[in-house]
Amino acid sequence: MAKSKFTKTFLATLIMLLSVDKIFPCSMYKITVNGKTMVGCNHDTWYLTPRIWFETSGYGACFTGARYDGDNGFAPQSGMNEFGLTFSRLAAATPENETVAANKKQITNATNYLKDILHKCKTVDEVKNYIDQFDHSSFSRDVFIYIDKSGRYLIVEPYTMTEGNDSEYVLANFCPSQVTDFSSIKQVRYVNGVAFLKTKTGTDIDFCTALSDTMHVCRKKIGDGTLLTSIWDVNEGITYLYFYHDYKHLVKFNVKDELAKGNHILEIPPLFPPNKEFKKLSDFKTPLNSKAIDMFLRFCFGLFLFSALYFLVNYFSKGTTTKYVLIKLALFPLSLIMMYYMFVLASEMNIFYFPAPYKDYKFSMLNIAAYIPFMILLLIIPLYINRKIFKENAWRNFSKWLFTLNNLAYLALIIMFTYWGLYNVFN
């Protein structure tokens, strides 16, 4: 009974620790003046594979994105079809709602579902009717906005849809239905966009470029931020692209001309002059762009999980007379902590790009976890004990070598933490 209770407690704790939210910053705006509508989208991410592609199935459409989704191709982040219907996707902490939508279709393929909307709809009314068929609560961390030629827009959240017709609208990473006072939004990219539009407005490309530039992100640590800026002229069917927050070099596409060439996809970096900042980002290795690092973190996760269980069982089964027995007991919580941090590093990309110690957008376990790298700097003590255990033959061989393997993993991680700048708390 006691063993069962321990197992349940352990699993519950593990699930709680692994509950990590990921929020990727993005921003967008739409402007309608004298019947002309322009839509700007800043895609802020660390993916290194930005693409623009054209699909002729149904209504022809152009999409931009950077996240590869296997057999589905690239997941669209923004896009426009041949009728000027445009959309943008923004990550946001949406409210939880356990109500199950009745008689709604399930979305089995998110990427194809998003593309199908542009392939099948011309206006925001058609978008609303189409989406209303589905249980779209599966997009529990996303807000979408659709804009048509008239300048009308539809905001789609996991549980609500809201229509609007403002001549100017700015959106970033928040859930509009949850905001009662938009002046309380502190996201700099949003604040900058709103402030810019208070003094002037326009729909020419120079004005929209200046607005996109005002709202772009460029963080100090690596220089990362806005990977791709897409500006959509919904009336003329023109797509303007800027790459990696460089607003001096522009690439322009006529969507109908490109659709006439059939289905095709283009890598975006080769369309522009060499970008030193992007190369710096590409050369900075993380689990996101290095399979070796990703596999090493997975190995460490398994190692620490096994070590936690092994040394706990070994402590109780061998009794308290074994030399250095408290080390075995201490390895149980230490291994659990390190196991959790391996998961965090493999899933929370913000940590690598934001200043140390990392602070989440709202206080969470991540704020505390930011100090774990400093904790293992103290491993000079267990390394010294590791040597003594071998010299005195204090433990059985398997225990000795497992302890050694843990210490080698700690040393490798310390080197990686240093490379990622996780100790640079004074910069």
Side-chain angles (χ1 to χ4, degrees):
M1 188 71 174
K3 185 177 180 180
S4 175
K5 185 176 180 181
F6 169 78
T7 302
K8 290 180 179 179
T9 303
F10 172 74
L11 291 175
T13 303
L14 181 60
I15 291 172
M16 179 190 72
L17 289 175
L18 299 185
S19 297
V20 181
D21 288 336
K22 294 188 289 184
I23 297 295
F24 291 92
C26 290
S27 59
M28 65 78 58
Y29 58 84
K30 62 83 57 176
I31 305 169
T32 302
V33 178
N34 297 326
K36 181 178 177 61
T37 297
M38 298 287 281
V39 178
C41 308
N42 280 343
H43 187 187
D44 306 337
T45 183
W46 306 291
Y47 292 114
L48 301 177
T49 52
R51 299 287 191 273
I52 182 169
W53 67 98
F54 303 85
E55 297 182 359
T56 59
S57 176
Y59 301 147
C62 168
F63 300 95
T64 63
R67 180 176 64 83
Y68 185 62
D69 190 25
D71 293 339
N72 301 315
F74 283 82
Q77 187 70 21
S78 64
M80 179 177 69
N81 69 15
E82 59 185 295
F83 294 98
L85 178 66
T86 307
F87 93 101
S88 182
R89 179 180 190 174
L90 303 102
T94 57
E96 297 294 333
N97 188 335
E98 296 181 359
T99 303
V100 178
N103 303 318
K104 299 285 186 179
K105 298 178 184 178
Q106 296 301 309
I107 298 171
T108 57
N109 188 311
T111 294
N112 287 340
Y113 161 80
L114 292 176
K115 292 193 291 186
D116 282 346
I117 294 174
L118 261 59
H119 288 312
K120 296 180 178 181
C121 302
K122 299 179 183 178
T123 67
V124 294
D125 288 329
E126 292 183 12
V127 172
K128 185 177 182 181
N129 291 334
Y130 184 84
I131 293 177
D132 198 45
Q133 303 175 66
F134 295 88
D135 173 13
H136 52 92
S137 63
S138 56
F139 291 101
S140 60
R141 290 293 182 271
D142 288 296
V143 171
F144 298 88
I145 182 168
Y146 293 84
I147 306 101
D148 63 22
K149 274 187 177 181
S150 71
R152 295 173 59 225
Y153 58 87
L154 175 72
I155 299 171
V156 181
E157 301 176 22
Y159 305 99
T160 62
M161 289 191 283
T162 307
E163 296 179 73
N165 198 24
D166 302 287
S167 60
E168 299 171 351
Y169 191 79
V170 178
L171 186 61
N173 301 103
F174 58 85
C175 209
S177 68
Q178 303 301 302
V179 180
T180 55
D181 179 11
F182 283 85
S183 65
S184 66
I185 301 296
K186 303 301 182 186
Q187 295 173 10
V188 175
R189 52 201 174 278
Y190 173 79
V191 172
N192 287 349
V194 171
F196 190 92
L197 287 171
K198 281 183 178 179
T199 59
K200 62 194 89 171
T201 191
T203 54
D204 61 88
I205 187 58
D206 290 337
F207 178 85
C208 292
T209 298
L211 177 54
S212 295
D213 189 1
T214 298
M215 296 175 64
H216 91 268
V217 175
C218 182
R219 283 174 282 268
K220 293 181 179 180
K221 184 175 178 181
I222 302 296
D224 63 290
T226 302
L227 176 69
L228 182 66
T229 294
S230 310
I231 300 176
W232 309 89
D233 183 333
V234 307
N235 299 90
E236 300 299 325
I238 303 295
T239 302
Y240 300 93
L241 292 183
Y242 292 99
F243 174 58
Y244 209 63
H245 44 266
D246 172 6
Y247 294 97
K248 295 180 180 178
H249 300 96
L250 170 67
V251 173
K252 175 182 174 182
F253 293 93
N254 182 299
V255 173
K256 286 189 177 181
D257 289 348
E258 293 298 323
L259 290 172
K261 301 175 185 177
N263 296 337
H264 60 289
I265 184 169
L266 300 171
E267 295 183 28
I268 289 176
L271 301 176
F272 292 85
N275 188 306
K276 292 182 179 180
E277 286 191 329
F278 183 68
K279 187 177 188 308
K280 182 179 179 181
L281 177 71
S282 302
D283 292 342
F284 184 64
K285 299 305 179 184
T286 71
L288 182 68
N289 57 28
S290 170
K291 188 174 181 179
I293 292 176
D294 181 62
M295 294 302 296
F296 177 71
L297 294 182
R298 291 172 185 268
F299 166 76
C300 288
F301 181 91
L303 171 66
F304 296 138
L305 173 59
F306 177 79
S307 298
L309 298 175
Y310 174 82
F311 284 114
L312 181 67
V313 171
N314 193 265
Y315 171 80
F316 286 109
S317 64
K318 298 302 180 182
T320 58
T321 57
T322 305
K323 214 169 185 182
Y324 308 114
V325 69
L326 291 180
I327 296 295
K328 293 182 177 181
L329 185 61
L331 282 168
F332 171 68
L334 177 60
S335 296
L336 286 182
I337 291 170
M338 294 304 297
M339 179 184 70
Y340 162 65
Y341 199 55
M342 294 305 98
F343 177 84
V344 168
L345 290 176
S347 59
E348 185 57 53
M349 292 299 108
N350 294 17
I351 291 173
F352 301 99
Y353 299 95
F354 282 77
Y358 175 71
K359 295 179 177 63
D360 202 2
Y361 71 101
K362 61 180 179 179
F363 187 83
S364 69
M365 285 287 295
L366 295 178
N367 296 62
I368 301 172
Y371 295 93
I372 292 175
F374 296 92
M375 179 188 71
I376 68 166
L377 277 177
L378 301 175
L379 288 176
I380 188 171
I381 297 174
L383 281 173
Y384 172 72
I385 295 174
N386 198 156
R387 179 175 175 274
K388 293 187 68 175
I389 288 172
F390 265 89
K391 188 176 181 179
E392 300 172 17
N393 200 25
W395 293 357
R396 292 188 175 182
N397 284 338
F398 187 81
S399 297
K400 287 189 296 186
W401 285 109
L402 182 61
F403 184 43
T404 302
L405 185 59
N406 274 265
N407 281 314
L408 291 174
Y410 297 153
L411 285 174
L413 288 169
I414 288 173
I415 294 172
M416 295 170 78
F417 294 162
T418 302
Y419 167 71
W420 290 325
L422 302 187
Y423 296 119
N424 296 343
V425 295
F426 299 111
N427 290 339

